[in-house]
Amino acid sequence: MSQLNITINENKLTVSPGSTILDAAKAVGVHIPTLCHDPRLKPYGACRVCLVEVEGARAPMPACATKVTDGMVVSTDTEKIHRLRKTVVELLISDHPLECVTCEQCGDCGLQDLAYRYGLNKSRYIGERHPLREQGDDPFIQRNLDKCILCGRCVRICDEVESAFAIDFTYRGFQVQVGTDYGTSLKNTSCEFCGQCISSCPVGALIEKPRLNKGRTWETKKTLTICPYCGTGCTLELQTIGDKIVNVAAPLDKGVNRGNLCVKGRFGYQFVNSNDRLKTPLIKKNGKFVEATWSEAISLIAKKFNGIKSAHGADALAGFSSAKCTNEENYLFQKFMRAAVGTNNVDHCARLCHASTVAGLARAFGSGAMTNSIDDFAKAKAILVIGSNTTEAHPIIGINILQAVRNNGAKLIVIDPRKIKLTQFADIWMAQRPGSDVAVINGIMNIILKEGWYDQKFIEERTEDFDELKKILDAYTPEKVAEISGVSPEDLRRAADIYANSGASSIVFSMGITQHSTGTDNVLSLANLAMMTGNVGREGTGVNPLRGQNNVQGACDMGSLPNVCCGYQKVGDDGVQAKFQAAWGVELPKTPGLTVVEILNSAAKGGVKGLYVMGENPMLSDPDSQHVEEALEKLEFLVVQDIFMTETAVFADVILPGLTFAERDGTFTNTERRVQRIRRAINPMGNAREDWRIISDVATAMGYPMHYESADEILAEINSVTPSYACITTARISDSGF
Amino acid sequence: MTENNCSCEENNSKNEQLTMDILAKYSGKKGSLMPILQEVQTIFGYLPQTILKKISAETKMPMSRIYGVATFYSQFRLQPVGKNIIRVCHGTACHVAGSENITLALESKLDVEDGQTTADNQFTLESVACLGCCSLAPVVMVNKHTYGSLTPDKTKKLIKKYEQKEN
């Protein structure tokens, strides 16, 4: 379609069809005030402060809800418009407590800005006013209903974006208020405490409870960084005063989340300023932890590790890297284990969650990660979710999926034994018996095969050994699959039809299918399903594992794995070996090391004698904690580098205090392999140090010098030895808005 | 008492069955919340919270939305009504003829406020706009019977009659 011409206050411009007057005005820098508008929501046109004059129109039009037509001439700055806006503001403040002196929202309030603009500190309209209606018993969210202007943004974002439906308009006329059913506390409703309502509220009616009386938004320093929780990698704006985080927001125009956050990202920051943080190195003496200096702690580690190495060989040492730490720290940790210690015994918690994904997808596609991006879900015509409680574990991706379903009409197939939130919106929900995933997928493929719904051209051009698959599928008739899995043949048939014939089908999966003894087979089955129907390599398709930790993708990419170096370059391969020996200037071990599970097994038997744990807590995250405890106790020497005294740290001989995401620079790689910057917002707590600085010091003390001045310097080294990260510099990441 | 409870339970399960029938009738039809609420109210006399939850579960409509609709329209009640509904007319003629005092008398007699139901569930007191028989002002309707030319005393006696009927 051709572009549309529009004139706004004498500025001429062209815009794409579908743009509103408000969009066009923004493009030429003309400010139109709004109260009920939020770019995340559908246009609503309720507050009337965005009224503009349109030549030829009978009455002023709301800029937020009026689409541009060709040749439109708009005026936003006329006397009439200002008169109308002023009246609207006066009506609003006629029943709004002008308590700006104590209001949290002061300085960041749409109504206050407009009242200021029009010089209004009282209203011409006198009449009944609402009494103070503070609702106090909700966790996280302070509701001040007397300040509510009924713009409906909270109600709409809870519905349109979050699909939580916790609140709605209740009662009628003057009595109208945004409320829950029967006025109950939010904790008795479907509220998810994501705080999206707060993020949209233009006034002080909804406030984050943890920020109360800690400082107004304009007083805070704002730092863009990345959320430290799940693999989605949402952009956060940390608002700090001094070294305290006061509040967390998200910019509307940035990142994968574009202003959206879940309860974890928005409210889960208190740990950063917690008094329970480790603030100084600790050495265990006679069973008790004693505070130590950095040089004492580091030289003790160097002495013990070198001692174990010379007595039992380098493979008697092992290290757990961390999916919570940055790419730079993961790179440095595996370099430390391989070059300074001399062993490939380095692994991390990905072993327990998505190792089967990495193995399965690497075999099927050559790389173990999402084939498509998060934004791509919007283009899918059908989405098959298996083994992922997306709305809980990856809430912002959950939003993307539900919006595709609710706004774009994508079909949703959920395969999960549990009745999770997604099942409410599913066209088909198949509650399979736990462990019968392969059978269900084979059953779907069996039907696709029999009905001829597969993509012959794709199979011929892009795949191998389809005939082998056919042979296997023959046995999995819908009836047999029903017997194994408990899923009815009719549901299987409908699912097969939707998935194979939608035109663009996407598969989403997570740890519900990877954490099985058949995890790799589950993943391979999904890859086969996608390939036989040609649902790979196009927009809105693909096989998409949702990674758990914020930087588990990066930790794998950086080679915190026993069999590969950074960029999945194979240990033992002659070329790789030569390359890294030249880069790191030291002879490197040739045989792949032990995995997380094998390291603990070996420790329990006395094989591995020294362990360095950075930012992991195997006592909680590894299976069979009693076995883990036995293994940790058997160790000659255990180093734990963490931010808290964890269940694992209590077994340590030396504890080193690291930093939280808010105190350091570096990069995280999210589940769709987007490399994003984290930035220091506050100074390090106590004596704690960046993990990369600690690792460098330990390596140097052990006789392998490592000197870096910044995370950037480490990233430059990563660039030089990691083909997939060759050109990723912080400057280029910043340029692209992350 | 035991017998009463028994029949009450039977009644409850019968009413729930009727609710399920209504929900089945409108199953899959968009825009049917209003008729569902209206028909359910004819069964129970009001909209019980447990039934709204059932409607929410069956129609997949959020509770917040159902509650929003139920509180928007004055035709829906969220509280149970008494056996007898007393409607005091406050139309123009009745207002002039002293309906305010009639309501006050009833409030003190029944120990409830306007819009409430007595603790023994016998009476619900309501104000209404106009009952359409202004020549009889002030007027009160008890259930389907209309009483005119009332005074506070006459009204109290009238209520006594209904109390005796109960006993």
Side-chain angles (χ1 to χ4, degrees):
Chain A
M1 264 211 280
S2 58
Q3 296 290 98
L4 305 172
N5 296 301
I6 176 171
T7 308
I8 302 178
N9 300 351
E10 266 135 56
N11 300 291
K12 287 187 196 306
L13 75 153
T14 57
V15 296
S16 325
S19 303
T20 61
I21 296 175
L22 187 65
D23 297 330
K26 260 194 196 132
V28 285
V30 170
H31 173 68
I32 298 176
T34 56
L35 285 173
C36 73
H37 174 77
D38 183 324
R40 293 171 288 178
L41 302 173
K42 292 170 193 151
Y44 196 53
C47 73
R48 317 312 276 181
V49 301
C50 72
L51 290 178
V52 294
E53 286 196 84
V54 177
E55 241 178 59
R58 230 166 12 98
M61 309 287 275
C64 72
T66 309
K67 297 238 166 89
V68 173
T69 55
D70 196 34
M72 208 176 227
V73 178
V74 175
S75 308
T76 70
D77 201 17
T78 65
E79 204 195 315
K80 180 176 176 188
I81 287 301
H82 287 302
R83 202 177 64 237
L84 287 171
R85 276 188 200 148
K86 191 176 165 188
T87 306
V88 170
V89 178
E90 274 188 285
L91 284 166
L92 285 172
I93 64 170
S94 74
D95 187 25
H96 185 93
L98 298 179
E99 293 168 354
C100 305
V101 283
T102 53
C103 183
E104 287 289 336
Q105 203 66 13
C106 179
D108 196 16
C109 170
L111 186 59
Q112 189 189 42
D113 290 348
L114 280 162
Y116 168 79
R117 166 74 178 76
Y118 291 110
L120 297 166
N121 57 9
K122 58 176 184 290
S123 176
R124 272 182 293 159
Y125 305 102
I126 313 292
E128 197 180 344
R129 292 175 72 103
H130 281 105
L132 182 73
R133 291 173 297 171
E134 209 169 88
Q135 311 254 325
D137 59 345
D138 303 314
F140 298 111
I141 299 170
Q142 173 80 40
R143 290 192 276 160
N144 308 309
L145 294 183
D146 51 325
K147 291 180 184 163
C148 175
I149 58 166
L150 298 172
C151 65
R153 278 163 71 165
C154 52
V155 171
R156 288 179 288 136
I157 204 158
C158 193
D159 171 342
E160 289 174 28
V161 176
E162 200 61 26
S163 301
F165 315 104
I167 47 173
D168 207 331
F169 289 110
T170 59
Y171 301 95
R172 183 166 60 170
F174 188 70
Q175 307 306 329
V176 170
Q177 63 180 46
V178 171
T180 59
D181 58 289
Y182 290 89
T184 176
S185 162
L186 285 168
K187 62 188 171 211
N188 304 325
T189 68
S190 50
C191 177
E192 292 163 8
F193 299 99
C194 58
Q196 294 273 68
C197 50
I198 305 174
S199 79
S200 196
C201 182
V203 293
L206 295 168
I207 299 289
E208 300 91 344
K209 268 192 178 161
R211 87 174 236 216
L212 289 174
N213 304 317
K214 296 221 175 85
R216 263 75 168 257
T217 309
W218 47 266
E219 293 176 84
T220 61
K221 186 183 94 178
K222 295 162 192 75
T223 310
L224 282 185
T225 190
I226 299 300
C227 180
Y229 284 93
C230 78
T232 308
C234 293
T235 298
L236 301 183
E237 179 187 277
L238 295 185
Q239 300 176 350
T240 53
I241 293 181
D243 287 334
K244 287 236 158 27
I245 300 178
V246 178
N247 197 24
V248 171
L252 289 170
D253 57 345
K254 286 210 159 51
V256 295
N257 49 318
R258 289 188 205 95
N260 296 319
L261 286 177
C262 71
V263 61
K264 296 178 275 185
R266 195 182 304 281
F267 294 111
Y269 58 83
Q270 271 82 359
F271 73 93
V272 172
N273 290 117
S274 165
N275 259 337
D276 297 337
R277 285 269 307 275
L278 294 167
K279 299 176 196 93
T280 186
L282 300 169
I283 294 175
K284 198 179 263 169
K285 287 179 182 160
N286 303 323
K288 275 201 177 145
F289 286 112
V290 183
E291 290 191 1
T293 63
W294 276 104
S295 60
E296 279 170 351
I298 283 167
S299 49
L300 178 63
I301 296 167
K303 194 178 110 197
K304 288 286 185 180
F305 269 29
N306 278 336
I308 292 172
K309 190 174 157 181
S310 54
H312 307 284
D315 287 338
L317 292 163
F320 290 171
S321 194
S322 172
K324 287 253 162 262
C325 289
T326 62
N327 286 328
E328 291 74 9
E329 286 149 358
N330 272 287
Y331 170 80
L332 218 56
F333 191 85
Q334 58 94 34
K335 178 179 174 184
F336 162 72
M337 290 308 296
R338 293 190 158 109
V341 177
T343 177
N344 283 314
N345 290 343
V346 55
D347 201 4
H348 70 289
C349 69
R351 181 67 46 204
L352 309 166
C353 58
H354 270 294
S356 44
T357 297
V358 175
L361 292 188
R363 252 160 78 190
F365 300 132
S367 177
M370 278 173 77
T371 59
N372 291 54
S373 64
I374 294 170
D375 280 349
D376 239 34
F377 291 127
K379 293 163 191 146
K381 302 259 173 22
I383 301 173
L384 186 158
V385 180
I386 177 167
S388 161
N389 188 357
T390 323
T391 52
E392 271 190 24
H394 300 84
I396 302 304
I397 295 180
I399 286 176
N400 280 266
I401 292 174
L402 287 179
Q403 289 198 317
V405 172
R406 293 182 61 208
N407 299 345
N408 310 344
K411 299 273 185 219
L412 180 63
I413 305 163
V414 178
I415 308 178
D416 201 301
R418 298 163 306 164
K419 188 175 183 180
I420 53 177
K421 180 177 168 186
L422 284 180
T423 60
Q424 288 174 45
F425 302 89
D427 294 89
I428 303 170
W429 166 35
M430 297 190 274
Q432 85 280 33
R433 291 194 187 107
S436 64
D437 309 287
V438 172
V440 173
I441 303 299
N442 281 349
I444 292 175
M445 288 196 280
N446 173 293
I447 295 165
I448 291 173
L449 192 64
K450 228 173 256 166
E451 296 292 337
W453 291 334
Y454 51 90
D455 186 337
Q456 187 63 40
K457 189 161 172 277
F458 186 96
I459 293 167
E460 275 168 18
E461 287 174 2
R462 319 264 195 100
T463 69
E464 293 164 353
D465 294 337
F466 183 55
D467 289 334
E468 296 289 312
L469 177 68
K470 270 184 173 169
K471 270 185 233 157
I472 296 165
L473 294 181
D474 273 346
Y476 288 89
T477 60
E479 291 69 30
K480 186 175 172 206
V481 171
E483 210 173 284
I484 300 170
S485 67
V487 173
S488 75
E490 297 76 54
D491 280 351
L492 282 171
R493 221 193 125 73
R494 279 171 59 217
D497 189 1
I498 291 175
Y499 181 81
N501 299 322
S502 78
S505 296
S506 176
I507 295 173
V508 175
F509 71 92
S510 194
M511 283 161 257
I513 64 157
T514 60
Q515 293 185 339
H516 287 268
S517 54
T518 57
T520 309
D521 295 328
N522 292 347
V523 173
L524 277 171
S525 295
L526 293 174
N528 288 338
L529 173 63
M531 286 189 284
M532 82 184 284
T533 51
N535 277 311
V536 192
R538 287 183 292 122
E539 283 188 335
T541 66
V543 181
N544 300 298
L546 305 182
R547 308 293 302 254
Q549 303 281 11
N550 55 315
N551 196 35
V552 66
Q553 184 67 46
C556 291
D557 290 353
M558 290 302 112
S560 291
L561 296 168
N563 57 336
V564 288
C565 284
C566 48
Y568 305 98
Q569 301 173 82
K570 278 210 167 66
V571 164
D573 176 282
D574 288 340
V576 171
Q577 206 73 12
K579 172 181 169 179
F580 281 93
Q581 285 179 175
W584 295 346
V586 65
E587 182 88 10
L588 293 171
K590 275 205 169 88
T591 45
L594 303 175
T595 62
V596 162
V597 181
E598 288 165 347
I599 288 168
L600 290 172
N601 284 345
S602 168
K605 287 188 207 125
V608 167
K609 295 184 188 304
L611 180 63
Y612 194 136
V613 179
M614 171 177 82
E616 288 228 342
N617 190 2
M619 273 299 287
L620 277 196
S621 57
D622 290 34
D624 192 354
S625 57
Q626 199 178 342
H627 173 66
V628 177
E629 187 175 335
E630 281 164 20
L632 295 178
E633 276 186 333
K634 194 91 189 270
L635 287 168
E636 259 176 45
F637 198 67
L638 172 64
V639 179
V640 173
Q641 182 170 317
D642 213 310
I643 55 174
F644 286 105
M645 179 64 82
T646 63
E647 291 78 356
T648 303
V650 297
F651 293 97
D653 296 286
V654 176
I655 298 176
L656 304 171
L659 297 184
T660 66
F661 77 111
E663 298 160 293
R664 59 186 175 186
D665 294 311
T667 57
F668 286 160
T669 306
N670 79 347
T671 187
E672 55 170 358
R673 286 179 285 174
R674 190 193 291 252
V675 183
Q676 310 186 97
R677 289 184 69 182
I678 64 162
R679 296 174 177 88
R680 171 179 280 194
I682 56 173
N683 290 307
M685 182 180 257
N687 248 333
R689 286 183 186 174
E690 286 105 334
D691 295 81
W692 58 261
R693 218 180 275 277
I694 304 172
I695 302 161
S696 304
D697 290 348
V698 175
T700 307
M702 282 182 70
Y704 180 83
M706 277 192 191
H707 296 289
Y708 301 94
E709 289 304 315
S710 65
D712 265 8
E713 213 178 303
I714 305 169
L715 184 59
E717 185 175 317
I718 295 172
N719 295 155
S720 68
V721 292
T722 319
S724 55
Y725 280 67
C727 301
I728 300 175
T729 62
T730 46
R732 291 188 67 206
I733 299 172
S734 297
D735 285 347
S736 49
F738 302 100
Chain B
M1 277 308 280
T2 330
E3 268 178 37
N4 259 347
N5 270 349
C6 187
S7 79
C8 200
E9 267 168 31
E10 269 174 26
N11 222 8
N12 276 350
S13 73
K14 199 180 114 201
N15 286 346
E16 282 192 14
Q17 188 49 51
L18 287 171
T19 308
M20 294 315 280
D21 292 345
I22 294 168
L23 286 169
K25 185 166 81 180
Y26 290 104
S27 171
K29 286 183 196 153
K30 279 200 167 178
S32 42
L33 181 60
M34 284 297 286
I36 291 174
L37 293 180
Q38 284 165 333
E39 290 181 32
V40 164
Q41 186 160 278
T42 57
I43 298 172
F44 294 91
Y46 77 112
L47 299 173
Q49 190 170 2
T50 49
I51 298 298
L52 291 191
K53 285 206 168 129
K54 195 157 274 174
I55 296 172
S56 171
E58 290 296 317
T59 60
K60 291 189 180 174
M61 209 171 304
M63 264 306 270
S64 57
R65 177 125 336 139
I66 295 175
Y67 185 76
V69 171
T71 53
F72 182 85
Y73 293 100
S74 54
Q75 61 177 291
F76 295 122
R77 300 164 186 282
L78 293 166
Q79 298 301 327
V81 282
K83 260 193 187 141
N84 304 293
I85 300 178
I86 308 170
R87 295 187 173 89
V88 184
C89 181
H90 284 267
T92 313
C94 291
H95 178 75
V96 172
S99 60
E100 203 60 24
N101 290 331
I102 306 275
T103 293
L104 284 174
L106 284 168
E107 283 182 347
S108 77
K109 164 89 184 137
L110 299 170
D111 195 21
V112 291
E113 281 177 31
D114 189 14
Q116 289 182 338
T117 301
T118 54
D120 62 1
N121 258 344
Q122 292 303 318
F123 295 100
T124 296
L125 178 63
E126 278 188 354
S127 292
V128 294
C130 182
L131 290 170
C133 40
C134 307
S135 60
L136 301 177
V139 180
V140 165
M141 244 180 113
V142 182
N143 304 332
K144 288 179 178 166
H145 297 280
T146 311
Y147 303 90
S149 309
L150 292 169
T151 62
D153 276 347
K154 273 195 206 167
T155 315
K156 284 185 188 169
K157 270 182 207 149
L158 171 70
I159 296 309
K160 223 170 221 165
K161 246 175 39 192
Y162 281 88
E163 280 173 343
Q164 278 159 4
K165 258 190 201 169
E166 284 312 311
N167 298 332

